[in-house]
Amino acid sequence: MEELKGAPDLLDLMVQPGFYVENFKIVQLNAAAEGLLLCPGMDIRPLIDSGLEEYASFQGGCLYLRLRLTQTAIGASIVKQNGMDVFLLDTQECDSALQALSLAARELRGPLAAITASADALQGEDVQLALLNRGIHQLLRILGNMSDAGRRPSAAQQETTEINALLSEVLEKAAILAEAAGVTIRYQGLEQPVWCLADREQLERAVLNLISNALKFSPSGGSVDVSLTRSGKMLRFSIRDNGPGFAQNLLGSVFNRYLRQPCIEEGRYGLGLGMVLVRTAAACHGGAVLIDQPDGSGARVTMTMAIRQNTSGMLRSPVLRVDYAGEQDHTLVELSDCLPADLYKKET
């Protein structure tokens, strides 16, 4: 326990509920975590609602999973420090901030719809019109992420889906567009189809957000390697770029970066709402999200999901919902921050 010297002071400096885990046992908590009915010596494994398998094999980087404490699902970011795992929990203040963003997005959709209609009425293929169209797509992406920021994990909109086919379709189009940005996307899927319950739109958006992040940090002429693998009842979707990787001082907060001060950090990181969407998608599908650097270079993001079947014996009707992208092309919207404006010229 020598490595724990100074740990209580570190934990007490954290505003979020936090605690140390060693060999699956809680060894130290801060004051904010004590109100969650946690105590030293408690086994963390029964508290993990989704991501237990991922945590059992966690070797480094930053892992986001979901705990169930006091009958409430709570997200947790985990990093390793001094040979132990540091758990930092989401707070009610974080949830309130996300809900406020969601409400603001709803108010902004009306004015943006009017701007989009006016832009559609313009004719021509000049550079200024292409820039205008790309800007509208970027706003649609931001509002889509803001709208879903306060979304709680739910399986209500899932239906039986062939995952390999879904991802192949999404990545095929993304790869064509990425070529225009000078980056090659390589995808290796499964040899056999896998059918399971999934929210198609949610997975599509999560995948495209991860592709967008990878493209932003990939140099021209670089590549992004994407794979889908299966291990028992779990699927692992991984995206790896050959960029500079995550700065170590940002790694522990990458899943709640919407609380950062935007003026003091590099713009490519954005507000981090895309990662909020990714972590929610993973939780909705019984999985977790891991960010790491396997060889000390580039960044790899792995989102897992459980292979679950519909055992209710009931047919699910397709859910009617408003298109989050305003009926615009989803791929062009989600990748608008990293694609050249030429791709947004209007067809004549």
Side-chain angles (χ1 to χ4, degrees):
M1 302 294 288
E2 287 296 318
E3 292 176 318
L4 274 175
K5 289 183 177 180
D9 293 337
L10 175 62
L11 289 173
D12 288 339
L13 289 174
M14 297 176 182
V15 177
Q16 298 169 259
F19 51 88
Y20 275 80
V21 173
E22 187 175 28
N23 296 325
F24 300 106
K25 303 290 185 181
I26 297 176
V27 294
Q28 179 69 44
L29 308 95
N30 64 6
E34 291 175 355
L36 298 174
L37 304 182
L38 299 172
C39 61
M42 184 176 289
D43 192 330
I44 193 66
R45 286 169 290 192
L47 304 179
I48 297 178
D49 191 50
S50 66
L52 176 58
E53 183 177 329
E54 293 84 345
Y55 177 60
S57 60
F58 179 51
Q59 297 295 322
C62 182
L63 176 67
Y64 187 92
L65 48 71
R66 188 172 59 174
L67 304 176
R68 186 160 293 277
L69 306 174
T70 63
Q71 302 302 312
T72 302
I74 300 178
S77 298
I78 309 168
V79 295
K80 287 190 175 291
Q81 188 175 83
N82 296 328
M84 289 170 291
D85 301 328
V86 185
F87 279 65
L88 295 178
L89 308 187
D90 294 343
T91 64
Q92 185 175 359
E93 288 75 13
C94 295
D95 292 339
S96 298
L98 293 175
Q99 291 290 341
L101 288 173
S102 182
L103 291 173
R106 295 177 193 175
E107 295 298 319
L108 291 170
R109 283 194 177 277
L112 181 57
I115 295 172
T116 303
S118 298
D120 287 341
L122 297 176
Q123 300 297 321
E125 297 185 9
D126 58 48
V127 174
Q128 294 304 315
L129 184 55
L131 289 170
L132 172 62
N133 286 331
R134 185 177 65 176
I136 290 172
H137 281 70
Q138 289 171 338
L139 287 173
L140 284 168
R141 179 178 188 266
I142 293 171
L143 290 183
N145 287 344
M146 288 173 61
S147 294
D148 274 7
R151 179 177 178 179
R152 294 187 178 278
S154 170
Q157 296 178 325
Q158 295 183 11
E159 55 187 345
T160 301
T161 304
E162 206 286 272
I163 300 298
N164 200 44
L166 171 63
L167 296 183
S168 295
E169 179 183 345
V170 172
L171 290 162
E172 181 179 3
K173 185 166 187 178
I176 294 173
L177 295 175
E179 288 289 345
V183 179
T184 299
I185 295 178
R186 299 187 291 250
Y187 174 59
Q188 182 171 352
L190 297 170
E191 294 183 357
Q192 300 294 328
V194 175
W195 295 85
C196 63
L197 289 175
D199 184 325
R200 293 178 61 89
E201 180 183 289
Q202 190 180 41
L203 284 182
E204 176 193 59
R205 293 183 64 194
V207 169
L208 289 175
N209 265 278
L210 293 176
I211 289 292
S212 175
N213 288 341
L215 292 180
K216 288 177 189 176
F217 289 92
S218 295
S220 181
S223 61
V224 174
D225 292 308
V226 187
S227 65
L228 178 67
T229 58
R230 177 175 181 172
S231 175
K233 291 293 185 179
M234 297 297 295
L235 292 174
R236 287 181 169 80
F237 177 77
S238 293
I239 294 181
R240 182 175 182 179
D241 61 50
N242 56 2
F246 280 90
Q248 289 302 309
N249 63 318
L250 301 179
L251 191 58
S253 62
V254 70
F255 291 108
N256 58 356
R257 307 249 322 128
Y258 50 89
L259 296 178
R260 75 174 179 90
Q261 299 179 23
C263 61
I264 62 173
E265 292 170 3
E266 187 179 353
R268 286 185 298 177
Y269 287 103
L271 288 175
L273 292 177
M275 289 307 298
V276 173
L277 187 150
V278 171
R279 78 185 197 191
T280 302
C284 286
H285 293 83
V289 184
L290 172 66
I291 297 175
D292 63 357
Q293 296 176 255
D295 302 320
S297 62
R300 180 176 65 180
V301 182
T302 301
M303 181 176 73
T304 63
M305 62 179 291
I307 302 175
R308 297 184 292 199
Q309 308 295 330
N310 183 5
T311 57
S312 65
M314 299 175 59
L315 293 176
R316 295 194 177 199
S317 300
V319 179
L320 180 64
R321 49 186 172 189
V322 178
D323 184 72
Y324 75 94
E327 305 301 329
Q328 303 294 327
D329 183 281
H330 289 190
T331 309
L332 285 173
V333 168
E334 296 295 353
L335 301 185
S336 56
D337 280 355
C338 48
L339 295 178
D342 285 350
L343 295 177
Y344 295 85
K345 288 183 178 179
K346 296 176 63 175
E347 296 183 359
T348 58

